[in-house]
Amino acid sequence: DLYSFFADFVDELAFQLEKERGRAKLFAHKDDSFLVTADREKLKRVVTNIIQNSLKYIDKEKKEIKVYLTSGDDKVTVEIKDNGIGIEKKDLAYLFDSFYRTDSSRNSSTGGSGLGLAIVKKIIEGLGGTVWAESEFGKGTSIFFTLKKVM
């Protein structure tokens, strides 16, 4: 149940972000079905990788993470949205490639191997889902993924 999974995850994240005057919030219609077939530990790794990446590139005084769950006929779509620096359009196509880093001038200050989102893609596609990103430079990034619903 993705609703229960994200309710717990976002509560924990909100508690962590409060220390930095940030916030995290979950948006979903509680009456919809969010039951999917997925490995809980793999899903936790996916979400943790996305959140860590988001937090690394938030340049605002107040960090914000919003999670949206949308229930479709045969899949659930998850959107994890941040208020970070965003990604330029030319970089979006490569975002999930292994070792790809969007801006070499940021790499030494932010660290990381460039594998986090490649791992996300591998896990989500292994679960039969899809993953993509949308971003507006200077305003933030949304990472989306879908998982098949239990019918």
Side-chain angles (χ1 to χ4, degrees):
D1 181 5
L2 284 183
Y3 183 83
S4 295
F5 175 88
F6 277 103
D8 291 344
F9 195 96
V10 170
D11 280 350
E12 212 172 291
L13 179 61
F15 180 72
Q16 291 173 335
L17 288 178
E18 279 177 17
K19 298 172 191 169
E20 304 174 38
R21 297 180 353 151
R23 63 183 179 176
K25 189 155 175 59
L26 174 62
F27 298 90
H29 296 286
K30 290 183 191 178
D31 297 336
D32 288 348
S33 172
F34 298 106
L35 294 177
V36 298
T37 302
D39 179 291
R40 189 172 190 82
E41 288 306 309
K42 287 181 179 178
L43 185 59
K44 186 174 182 182
R45 180 148 190 212
V46 162
V47 176
T48 299
N49 283 3
I50 293 170
I51 297 291
Q52 285 175 343
N53 211 56
S54 291
L55 292 175
K56 190 185 302 186
Y57 293 109
I58 295 178
D59 58 344
K60 313 293 187 295
E61 190 174 312
K62 292 183 180 183
K63 296 180 179 192
E64 285 187 14
I65 301 285
K66 296 176 182 172
V67 178
Y68 299 89
L69 299 180
T70 308
S71 181
D73 290 338
D74 60 348
K75 66 185 174 191
V76 174
T77 302
V78 177
E79 176 185 4
I80 300 174
K81 182 180 180 79
D82 66 48
N83 65 332
I85 59 177
I87 301 163
E88 293 190 48
K89 295 232 185 287
K90 68 179 178 65
D91 292 318
L92 279 175
Y94 307 103
L95 198 60
F96 297 95
D97 293 354
S98 295
F99 306 112
Y100 188 76
R101 308 288 305 279
T102 58
D103 180 354
S104 58
S105 67
R106 293 196 309 235
N107 292 344
S108 59
S109 64
T110 58
S113 63
L115 288 173
L117 293 179
I119 291 168
V120 165
K121 181 178 181 179
K122 184 174 178 71
I123 291 172
I124 292 298
E125 288 180 350
L127 294 170
T130 56
V131 62
W132 70 96
E134 294 177 5
S135 187
E136 188 173 345
F137 194 69
K139 294 196 177 183
T141 300
S142 288
I143 304 291
F144 296 85
F145 64 87
T146 63
L147 292 171
K148 293 178 184 175
K149 283 177 81 170
V150 173
M151 297 298 193

